[in-house]
Each structure stands twice: as structure tokens, then as C-alpha cells.
Amino acid sequence: MDAMAELTAEQGYEATKIADIVRRAGVARKTLYDNFDGKEEVFLGAFDSAVDEIAGQIEEACKAAAGEWVDGVTAGLRAFLDYVAEKPAIARMCLVEAMSATPASATRYDAALERLIGLMRERAPADSGLPETTEETLVGGVAWILHQRIRRGESEQALDLMPELLDFLLSPYLGVGKQKL
């Protein structure tokens, strides 16, 4: 599955062939087919594994954060950005390639975003009076910014976005921009 992430980061899902995967992974074609039905299943398995890993790290960071809800959101964002910076190939597979690789991967991408939206909703103040789509907008915005940075080959600098993205995530709840005109 690591080979799949590396290859899709280098050449894209469409250009990645089974021969490339078995060569990079150092396994026999038979071994791959003993474990997976084909390229799409390898991709989906790698994607699912990565999403479980990062969501687990975000959840753990949020729970470990002491103090206010802001501390949990901060810790969760930092965990996400750390992951993107430390694992650029996997980040590209999940945040760039998965959106369009196959219909199944697009569906799983949407489900992964929903999972992150759920984490944001758990941390955000429940009585904010904000629209129900606020967390979707915020998580989608963060995902889009990271998508763009990853496409430009800037995954390793993801932590540089921490102040800006944290302000973006917190501002609706903290009242920024709510002044009457």
C-alpha cells in the first residue's frame, strides 16, 4: 500500500500500473492478487488505512488537549498538518488523487471529509448560532488549501499554514467578522 501511495504521488492513479506496484513493493504479482482484486482495491485499501491513521491521530490529539474547545481544535489541526508534512505521498493520494481516481475513491474521500467534519462538530461550541453548514465549510476550506499546496509540491511546509488555518477555523465561533455594517 505504501508503494501505491508513492506511485500515485509520482505519476497519478491513472498512470500507475500493477507492474509498477509489484516492482515498487518488491512482491510477486500473485502475492498482490492473493490480497487484492486489482489496482483499485490496493488504492482503496491504502486510502482507508491512511484515513484511519490520520483520523485516529486527530482524535487522540483533541482528547489529549487540556482546556477549552479551542485547544482541541488547535491540537487536531496541528496533528493533521503534521501528518501532511511527514507523509507527503500519502497526503497526495488522499487529498488529491482520491477525489478523482475512481467513483469508489471519490465516495470514500467524501466519507473521510464527513468524518473530519464530525470531529470538528464535536469540538465546536454547540450554541454558536451559526449555520449548520459551518463545519462543512471550514473543513472543506482547510482540505482545499491543503489540496492546492500538495499539488504544488509544498506538503512539507504544511505546518507553515497553522496560524492562518487556525484563524480560519476559529473565527466564526470567536466572533471575528460579526460587526454590523
Side-chain angles (χ1 to χ4, degrees), residues 142-159:
V142 168
W144 179 251
I145 295 298
L146 289 173
H147 172 95
Q148 294 300 311
R149 295 304 196 281
I150 291 165
R151 287 186 65 208
R152 291 195 302 248
E154 299 171 3
S155 297
E156 290 86 354
Q157 292 84 36
L159 276 171

Side-chain angles (χ1 to χ4, degrees), residues 19-167:
D20 301 328
I21 299 167
V22 296
R23 188 178 316 109
R24 177 71 59 95
V27 300
R29 184 179 290 265
K30 181 183 179 336
T31 302
L32 184 135
Y33 282 112
D34 284 346
N35 293 284
F36 301 97
D37 287 338
K39 178 173 89 166
E40 181 180 24
E41 194 172 310
V42 175
F43 185 86
L44 295 174
F47 177 83
D48 291 344
S49 177
V51 168
D52 286 344
E53 182 180 21
I54 186 51
Q57 288 179 15
I58 292 170
E59 289 170 350
E60 189 176 300
C62 289
K63 288 177 186 171
E68 300 283 321
W69 67 270
V70 170
D71 300 320
V73 171
T74 303
L77 178 61
R78 181 171 302 284
F80 190 33
L81 296 177
D82 278 339
Y83 191 90
V84 169
E86 291 170 9
K87 299 184 179 189
I90 294 173
R92 183 174 186 86
M93 179 186 68
C94 291
L95 288 165
V96 176
E97 293 295 323
M99 289 181 4
S100 61
T102 71
S105 70
T107 299
R108 292 196 185 172
Y109 175 86
D110 291 345
L113 280 186
E114 287 294 333
R115 187 171 177 182
L116 296 176
I117 291 164
L119 292 174
M120 183 68 185
R121 282 191 176 125
E122 288 173 15
R123 301 309 176 278
D127 58 351
S128 67
L130 295 169
E132 289 183 30
T133 58
T134 299
E135 291 79 17
E136 291 173 65
T137 303
L138 296 172
V139 171
V142 168
W144 179 251
I145 295 298
L146 289 173
H147 172 95
Q148 294 300 311
R149 295 304 196 281
I150 291 165
R151 287 186 65 208
R152 291 195 302 248
E154 299 171 3
S155 297
E156 290 86 354
Q157 292 84 36
L159 276 171
D160 295 346
L161 296 168
M162 183 70 186
E164 182 179 340
L165 292 179
L166 185 60
D167 283 348

